[in-house]
Amino acid sequence: MAESSFSVGDRLADAILNLVAQVPPTREEASDAPRAAAGRVMRVASAKAALTAGGLALPTGPAGWLTILPELLAVWRIQAQMVSDIAALYGARHAPTREQMLYCLFRHAAAQAVRDLLARATDRWMVQEASGALLRRAAQAIGLKLTQKVARRGASRWVPLVGAAGVGVYAWLDTRQVAQTAITLFQAPAGDAPVASETGQG
């Protein structure tokens, strides 16, 4: 079981690193009302993530296991685009860095895993540039943390429709949490490095 968990976690880590290495270009411009605009982006992305995850979770039985990683990747790509768009709405001059993207996508699910990406800046925390080795360690820690989620997703594949509905709701909630993290991160005063409040103990 431990070897199996490591294998799943390692595959997730590789998928996560590939994801954050290709930050999607934004489709938005700086907004005079970024909070309202970010709410719009969040609602659209949450609905899209729910439909995508629920649709990919429809296959049942052994075949359903094959859709778990594609489902996670599809939702993460939707969320990554959302993070990029929210950054632009708050006036970020450049696309989110790999570190910022990793932090936004997984802080709520694996706070301890992204802790080393933060540096203290007065009474707040700044997402700092990280080495490739540090990024990989963070991604591996996230991957191991998410193996439990993968196991639950696999179990749900044996319950037609009900399981798919639950997966869709989870993706909807998960995407909203990612959006809230991105809003907190990128609402820093213009000209300052994006900062976020201290992470919890998750």
Side-chain angles (χ1 to χ4, degrees):
M1 174 66 78
E3 182 178 356
S4 175
S5 295
F6 175 80
S7 177
V8 172
D10 217 39
R11 289 179 60 195
L12 288 172
D14 288 340
I16 289 167
L17 288 173
N18 289 335
L19 178 75
V20 300
Q22 303 174 33
V23 176
T26 184
R27 301 168 297 192
E28 302 287 344
E29 297 181 354
S31 172
D32 292 333
R35 183 79 189 197
R40 167 182 55 79
V41 169
M42 176 184 69
R43 289 190 295 273
V44 171
S46 297
K48 186 176 181 181
L51 288 172
T52 299
L56 287 172
L58 285 173
T60 59
W65 281 93
L66 300 177
T67 67
I68 295 175
L69 185 55
E71 172 213 319
L72 290 173
L73 286 172
V75 170
W76 290 343
R77 289 190 186 103
I78 292 168
Q79 293 174 345
Q81 182 66 66
M82 177 185 69
V83 170
S84 187
D85 290 343
I86 288 174
L89 289 169
Y90 276 96
R93 294 186 294 272
H94 304 286
T97 64
R98 309 177 294 176
E99 295 83 1
Q100 290 169 339
M101 187 62 73
L102 191 68
Y103 177 81
C104 288
L105 292 177
F106 300 107
R107 178 196 178 275
H108 65 286
Q112 289 293 100
V114 300
R115 183 180 56 184
D116 290 341
L117 300 177
L118 302 179
R120 191 78 177 186
T122 62
D123 61 341
R124 295 167 70 93
W125 289 92
M126 180 176 67
V127 179
Q128 63 182 341
E129 184 177 354
S131 66
L134 179 56
L135 277 177
R136 171 158 284 279
R137 284 200 300 274
Q140 287 174 331
I142 293 167
L144 288 174
K145 180 78 173 179
L146 295 182
T147 52
Q148 295 177 348
K149 179 190 295 186
V150 169
R152 291 194 297 270
R153 295 285 181 89
S156 74
R157 295 307 201 258
W158 294 90
V159 185
L161 298 181
V162 175
V167 168
V169 170
Y170 184 91
W172 184 84
L173 292 170
D174 190 71
T175 303
R176 294 178 71 88
Q177 288 181 294
V178 172
Q180 291 301 329
T181 299
I183 290 169
T184 299
L185 184 68
F186 292 107
Q187 67 184 1
D192 290 350
V195 293
S197 57
E198 185 172 358
T199 59
Q201 299 301 310

